[in-house]
């Protein structure tokens, strides 16, 4: 197996190859046809194709030599005002020598830029519009100042639907000669939830073990407990068997190497699938929230998880009395 990163190997090269986001792709294609683009903000969750869309747009606009007309900066690393005054300004003021009269500057993680840097960027975008167009990529567009937002065309990216997610992973598995089983595909979606970059990385990590990729393999490589085990632990606790539930908890921690905060999140998810009255789901969600807060504040993880199981036992007893 090659150690090349599959996320780069299978990254689309043009807008026609992009997965999902068809409403966005159509708008970007109209820019390519017009050979003109506005300043843009690509906003949305991670792994939904924001950076890929920007690179594909540049490729379709300039052709194979698009890298000569493009600069990429990751604003989470280079986010100070000096970068805007020096690096960005120097690139933006130089005129393009090709058929397209402007270049493209991609600012990834733009929502991590300091307020001063954003104010400086605002003026640079105004002044050098003729020679440079900016594409700002952000997970949270609300963290970008309003004057910049008003100068940009917004594009909202969404998580991939399950069908597109599974189809693309199966395509990669077939190309890489990896045996991807149905429960493995389900587990990857459970862990990644539509984040395609994370899904591809998870598939590659699971495939590197040289075994058929099933749920057990996926959960072991990502340090995520099997939802079936979490469900069983909750049921044991709510039936009043605290010791068995605690043994199941410790078994999951040792087998999967999962962090306490991750187990708490999984318990939170499973609570809403329990066959209990709605009022008790609300109470249990409140209990889980309190335990999660204590853990994030530095409380002992094992003590807090045991306390959570104890409260599930108490809840199970009270529900039994009511019904």
């Amino acid at each position: 197996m090659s150690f090349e990163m599959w996320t780069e190997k299978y990254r689309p090269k043009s807008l026609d190859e992009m997965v999902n986001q068809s409403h966005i792709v159509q708008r970007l294609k109209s820019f390519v046809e017009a050979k003109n683009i506005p300043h843009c903000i690509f906003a949305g969750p991670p792994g939904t194709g924001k950076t890929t869309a920007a690179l594909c747009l540049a490729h379709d606009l300039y052709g194979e030599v698009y890298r000569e007309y493009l600069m990429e900066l990751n604003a989470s690393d280079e986010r100070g005002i000096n970068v805007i005054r020096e690096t960005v300004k120097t690139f933006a003021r130089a005129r393009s020598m090709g058929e397209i009269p402007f270049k493209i500057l991609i600012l990834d993680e733009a929502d991590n830029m300091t307020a001063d840097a954003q104010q400086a960027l605002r003026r640079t975008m105004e002044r050098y519009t003729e020679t440079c167009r900016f594409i700002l990529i952000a997970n949270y567009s609300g963290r970008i100042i309003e004057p910049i937002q008003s100068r940009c065309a917004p594009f909202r990216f969404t998580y991939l639907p399950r069908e597109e997610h599974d189809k693309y992973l199966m395509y990669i598995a077939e190309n890489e000669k990896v045996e991807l089983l149905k429960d493995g595909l389900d587990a990857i979606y459970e862990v990644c939830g539509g984040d395609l970059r994370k899904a591809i990385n998870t598939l590659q990590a699971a495939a590197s073990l040289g075994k058929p990729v099933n749920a057990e393999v996926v959960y072991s490589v990502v340090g995520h407990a099997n939802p079936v085990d979490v469900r069983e632990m909750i049921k044991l606790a709510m039936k009043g068997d605290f010791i068995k539930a605690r043994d199941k908890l410790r078994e999951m921690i040792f087998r999967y190497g999962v962090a306490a905060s991750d187990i708490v999140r999984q318990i939170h998810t499973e609570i809403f699938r329990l066959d209990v009255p709605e009022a008790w789901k609300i109470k249990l969600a409140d209990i889980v929230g309190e335990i999660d807060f204590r853990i994030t504040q530095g409380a002992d993880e094992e003590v807090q998880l045991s306390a959570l199981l104890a409260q599930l036992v108490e809840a199970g007893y009270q529900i039994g009395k009511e019904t």
Side-chain angles (χ1 to χ4, degrees):
M1 173 178 292
S2 167
F3 284 94
E4 178 183 6
M5 290 297 293
W6 290 358
T7 46
E8 290 302 318
K9 182 177 180 181
Y10 291 99
R11 185 196 288 270
K13 303 298 187 293
S14 73
L15 292 171
D16 290 325
E17 298 175 16
M18 282 197 64
V19 180
N20 199 31
Q21 314 296 356
S22 56
H23 60 296
I24 291 174
V25 169
Q26 290 304 318
R27 288 175 64 190
L28 296 181
K29 280 184 176 180
S30 68
F31 294 157
V32 173
E33 290 170 7
K35 296 189 182 301
N36 196 6
I37 67 170
H39 299 311
C40 301
I41 291 179
F42 290 178
T48 52
K50 302 186 296 295
T51 304
T52 296
L55 294 173
C56 289
L57 172 63
H59 175 275
D60 290 357
L61 195 60
Y62 299 108
E64 294 298 327
V65 295
Y66 72 100
R67 288 285 179 185
E68 296 179 16
Y69 303 93
L70 178 72
M71 174 181 278
E72 281 186 85
L73 289 177
N74 193 310
S76 61
D77 295 327
E78 305 168 80
R79 61 199 189 110
I81 193 169
N82 289 336
V83 173
I84 303 301
R85 286 175 173 168
E86 297 168 13
T87 309
V88 171
K89 201 169 182 179
T90 301
F91 177 80
R93 63 163 45 130
R95 185 173 293 276
S96 170
M97 300 302 291
E99 178 188 355
I100 309 296
F102 56 83
K103 297 175 292 185
I104 294 176
L105 195 149
I106 299 173
L107 273 173
D108 214 340
E109 310 290 345
D111 47 341
N112 285 322
M113 291 174 64
T114 63
D116 287 344
Q118 290 192 44
Q119 292 292 350
L121 177 63
R122 161 194 177 182
R123 180 62 182 141
T124 304
M125 291 172 70
E126 272 181 357
R127 190 171 180 184
Y128 299 110
T129 298
E130 290 187 8
T131 55
C132 184
R133 303 295 158 80
F134 290 77
I135 299 178
L136 278 62
I137 298 173
N139 292 334
Y140 307 101
S141 60
R143 294 180 183 173
I144 295 175
I145 61 174
E146 188 61 37
I148 289 181
Q149 291 191 50
S150 66
R151 287 168 172 77
C152 297
F155 292 82
R156 306 290 176 185
F157 287 71
T158 57
Y159 280 122
L160 267 68
R162 178 66 189 269
E163 301 76 28
E164 294 285 352
H165 174 275
D166 289 358
K167 182 180 176 183
Y168 204 70
L169 290 187
M170 290 302 298
Y171 163 72
I172 294 173
E174 287 170 11
N175 278 4
E176 298 293 334
K177 306 295 187 291
V178 172
E179 187 180 354
L180 176 56
L181 304 181
K182 176 67 169 62
D183 65 333
L185 204 56
D186 293 340
I188 292 175
Y189 190 79
E190 174 83 24
V191 170
C192 304
D195 181 336
L196 190 58
R197 178 174 57 232
K198 185 177 180 181
I200 294 171
N201 285 335
T202 300
L203 175 61
Q204 184 171 18
S208 67
L209 298 180
K211 303 175 184 177
V213 178
N214 58 19
E216 192 70 20
V217 170
V218 170
Y219 290 128
S220 66
V221 299
V222 299
H224 199 84
N226 192 322
V228 174
D229 292 333
V230 176
R231 212 168 296 136
E232 184 183 343
M233 178 188 70
I234 294 172
K235 287 179 179 177
L236 284 169
M238 297 194 74
K239 285 177 182 176
D241 201 335
F242 175 77
I243 298 302
K244 280 190 178 178
R246 190 168 180 274
D247 289 344
K248 189 70 180 176
L249 170 67
R250 301 187 75 174
E251 178 193 333
M252 285 191 294
I253 291 173
F254 291 135
R255 188 198 303 177
Y256 300 110
V258 62
S261 57
D262 291 330
I263 286 187
V264 171
R265 287 191 198 99
Q266 286 187 260
I267 292 172
H268 179 264
T269 300
E270 293 300 329
I271 277 172
F272 297 100
R273 297 172 181 168
L274 291 174
D275 184 20
V276 298
E278 191 77 19
W280 273 102
K281 290 181 181 180
I282 295 169
K283 290 178 184 177
L284 292 174
D286 184 51
I287 290 168
V288 172
E290 176 64 26
I291 296 297
D292 183 54
F293 175 75
R294 292 178 189 173
I295 290 173
T296 58
Q297 293 299 304
D300 185 274
E301 294 183 352
E302 187 170 354
V303 171
Q304 293 305 317
L305 289 173
S306 295
L308 176 54
L309 291 180
Q311 293 192 64
L312 289 176
V313 171
E314 178 65 23
Y317 174 71
Q318 292 293 338
I319 293 169
K321 282 179 64 177
E322 290 176 10
T323 57

